[in-house]
Amino acid sequence: MISFFVMEPGRLRPPQMETDMTLKETLDLSAQKHGDKTLMKFKRNGQWQTLSYRQFLALVRNVAEALVRNGHVRPGDRVALLGANSPEWCAIHYAITGLAATAVPIDVKLQDQEVTHILSDSGAAVLLMDSTSDANIYGLADRCPALRHIILFGDRKPELVNGKTRGIQLHDFDQILAATQAGAKGHGAAYDRFHPKDDDVASFIYTSGTTGRQKGAMLTHRNFTANYRQIDDAIDIFPDDNFMVILPLHHSFAFTVCLVTPVASGTSMSFVESLRTVGENIRETSPTIVPAVPLLLEKMYNKLKAGIQAKPAARVLWTLGVRGPVRNGIREKLGGRIRLMISGGAPADPTMLRGLEDLGLKAREGYGITECAPVLTLTPFDAPIRPGSCGKPIPGVEIRVVDANAEGVGELAAKGDNVMKGYFNNPAATADVFRDGWFLTGDLGYIDADGYVFITGRKKALIVNREGKNIYPEEVELQINQSPL
């Protein structure tokens, strides 16, 4: 579930992009158009630093050169990436896909057995890993036979870097970048020798849905750039937009909205230091677009409400209905420029959506799923909130209900250029989720007469009692959550 919150009405329309472009082509085009413009803001050693489009592309080229020389990466290879959000993470991903290889992003919070499952299932021969993660790099070799190289980036490097352990070659990221920097700038650079196609798989994003072992959703360059264009046709992106990067980039929602979209649209992005510093970082960087999870937005909403109550003047003005100055104060608390907040990862509480609307944060809810790269629906900005709905399909996306019951509730199916190729190395699971060219989302819902989509639950979570009545656990959970206890 994805929810959109906007402070100003309008449609999101970045500069037009040709159809069927690759991630590499979007970066090259933006670097050509916006070379010295700031792409990324990030904090190091207590100070904010920046990377321009030209500097970021140079880093991507350098990483690509290092991957070819030290990891022997070639088109079609799978290269795993395990690390927290950072400019380096972004550059590594664009370098992998720029070589026509496939990136396999991994959640840093996964247990070792889950990491090894992804590495083994994907057949990744190279792993780039943040050295500050808790994964046991020395325990990976025995369970990942295809793994040959581990490249460690970050500040904390093991002593055995630049050597071999259990058949795996260890490399220091900074050292191999320094050794290949000149080659990345010269003729015959690796980045210039390989050219991915729009139908090539850019990423395996592992997802388990509600049950079962994680499966690698094969998302192509076209899937990601198509979803960017679909968002482009639904809402407005302005040249001075600044995206706040809070959500982990290994998820498709954050990857598409917080990385692909800024790069392709020629805008900027700012990284939070941690979840503890979100408020501080928002004030420091003045973002215009802040994607977040519902829990974070609920905390923000409650804090804003408490702030009104704690200030007598604000409380009186609010009670008297003079709310413009209070709403302007809220805007300043959010950095002064924020106009759009996006909640993803779970359904948002309708009460919170209405509350944000009351505070001057125009709330709009949408829906997305990993296998669709991921955005599928969005509530139109020129229409009021429809309680319980996640909006209408965005341009370029079709949604229908299959196997509907007497109440019109059935499984939601989607079609569009953003839908994945299938699950890697799992034809049975792929066959289960495709029917006549439609992707079966596993989500139950219905579509009303006006085309609004409503989610009622997950297919595998549906309970049918002895009377034959359908019980959706999500609806029960929603009622339980209303209790102050």
Side-chain angles (χ1 to χ4, degrees):
M1 187 72 70
I2 301 170
S3 308
F4 293 75
F5 306 93
V6 295
M7 293 195 70
E8 301 169 358
R11 298 183 65 253
L12 185 144
R13 181 173 292 280
Q16 288 298 312
M17 183 180 71
E18 296 179 15
T19 59
D20 298 336
M21 291 186 72
T22 65
L23 295 174
K24 180 176 185 174
E25 287 169 330
T26 64
L27 173 59
D28 290 345
L29 182 61
S30 286
Q32 181 181 351
K33 289 182 176 180
H34 312 287
D36 293 325
K37 183 177 181 178
T38 295
L39 169 60
M40 296 178 178
K41 297 179 183 178
F42 56 100
K43 213 168 192 180
R44 293 279 164 85
N45 300 319
Q47 299 294 322
W48 284 101
Q49 302 181 32
T50 63
L51 273 181
S52 69
Y53 274 85
R54 183 174 289 110
Q55 290 170 326
F56 180 71
L57 177 57
L59 178 57
V60 170
R61 293 177 62 90
N62 197 171
V63 175
E65 194 73 23
L67 289 178
V68 169
R69 292 198 196 181
N70 294 273
H72 307 290
V73 173
R74 293 294 183 272
D77 288 348
R78 274 81 68 188
V79 181
L81 171 56
L82 189 156
N85 291 353
S86 68
E88 289 79 8
W89 192 102
C90 300
I92 290 166
H93 199 293
Y94 270 85
I96 295 167
T97 56
L99 294 171
T102 298
V104 185
I106 301 175
D107 185 350
V108 293
K109 294 183 179 179
L110 292 181
Q111 300 295 316
D112 282 358
Q113 63 268 26
E114 295 170 299
V115 173
T116 53
H117 163 69
I118 293 173
L119 291 172
S120 179
D121 184 75
S122 66
V126 180
L127 166 64
L128 290 103
M129 189 174 78
D130 189 333
S131 57
T132 61
S133 71
D134 294 327
N136 178 13
I137 61 172
Y138 304 115
L140 299 177
D142 296 335
R143 291 171 286 177
C144 303
L147 190 61
R148 293 290 178 267
H149 299 271
I150 295 179
I151 301 173
L152 296 165
F153 63 96
D155 297 329
R156 193 179 72 201
K157 306 288 176 62
E159 294 180 2
L160 288 178
V161 84
N162 288 331
K164 277 191 175 182
T165 178
R166 301 183 189 179
I168 294 180
Q169 183 76 39
L170 298 176
H171 309 271
D172 180 279
F173 182 74
D174 295 331
Q175 290 184 16
I176 63 175
L177 283 189
T180 56
Q181 187 175 28
K185 299 176 182 177
H187 295 294
Y191 187 81
D192 298 326
R193 298 202 306 269
F194 302 106
H195 305 284
K197 299 179 177 61
D198 53 73
D199 198 41
D200 288 345
V201 177
S203 184
F204 292 170
I205 297 186
Y206 275 77
T207 176
S208 58
T210 54
T211 61
R213 298 207 73 174
Q214 290 194 327
K215 303 178 290 291
M218 297 187 291
L219 292 163
T220 66
H221 288 261
R222 181 189 292 120
N223 292 153
F224 289 119
T225 59
N227 202 224
Y228 159 71
R229 289 195 310 274
Q230 291 158 351
I231 296 171
D232 171 1
D233 287 335
I235 51 179
D236 279 332
I237 295 176
F238 302 113
D240 64 345
D241 271 332
N242 177 19
F243 291 73
M244 200 83 217
V245 185
I246 303 173
L247 304 177
L249 291 169
H250 62 262
H251 286 305
S252 62
F253 174 51
F255 180 76
T256 300
V257 175
C258 299
L259 180 56
V260 174
T261 294
V263 169
S265 63
T267 53
S268 301
M269 52 193 290
S270 299
F271 293 85
V272 299
E273 297 172 85
S274 70
L275 291 177
R276 296 187 301 274
T277 62
V278 170
E280 175 186 344
N281 295 157
I282 287 177
R283 287 190 295 273
E284 290 174 329
T285 61
S286 297
T288 59
I289 301 176
V290 181
V293 293
L295 179 60
L296 180 61
L297 290 175
E298 287 173 9
K299 289 183 177 181
M300 185 181 297
Y301 170 60
N302 291 332
K303 189 172 183 179
L304 291 172
K305 287 197 306 179
I308 294 174
Q309 293 301 314
K311 296 181 178 179
R315 185 171 67 250
V316 170
L317 287 173
W318 192 262
T319 303
L320 293 175
V322 184
R323 299 184 173 180
V326 180
R327 288 170 177 155
N328 289 337
I330 289 173
R331 186 185 182 95
E332 291 305 311
K333 283 181 177 293
L334 298 175
R337 298 180 62 231
I338 192 165
R339 66 178 184 85
L340 170 64
M341 303 182 75
I342 310 172
S343 173
D349 183 351
T351 302
M352 180 189 69
L353 299 184
R354 289 190 290 267
L356 286 167
E357 182 107 354
D358 196 34
L359 292 177
L361 304 172
K362 196 169 179 125
R364 290 298 177 263
E365 188 166 9
Y367 164 63
I369 191 168
T370 295
E371 290 88 342
C372 298
V375 184
L376 292 172
T377 72
L378 173 65
T379 298
F381 291 137
D382 56 357
I385 295 173
R386 190 162 298 201
S389 171
C390 57
K392 294 182 177 182
I394 60 177
V397 170
E398 297 177 71
I399 295 182
R400 71 178 186 181
V401 178
V402 300
D403 302 329
N405 61 18
E407 300 171 343
V409 175
E411 185 171 5
L412 297 175
K415 181 185 286 188
D417 286 342
N418 55 315
V419 177
M420 69 169 184
K421 274 189 170 184
Y423 296 115
F424 177 70
N425 203 28
N426 201 332
T430 300
D432 286 342
V433 297
F434 281 99
R435 182 188 300 180
D436 300 325
W438 290 80
F439 172 73
L440 305 176
T441 65
D443 290 315
L444 296 174
Y446 64 93
I447 303 175
D448 71 8
D450 296 324
Y452 283 81
V453 178
F454 292 77
I455 309 292
T456 59
R458 287 289 295 174
K459 184 177 180 180
K460 291 181 180 179
L462 175 65
I463 299 170
V464 181
N465 69 8
R466 289 183 296 176
E467 298 175 357
K469 179 178 176 58
N470 292 337
I471 300 172
Y472 304 103
E474 290 82 0
E475 293 181 354
V476 177
E477 182 182 37
L478 179 61
Q479 295 303 315
I480 293 174
N481 285 338
Q482 303 305 311
S483 170
L485 300 179

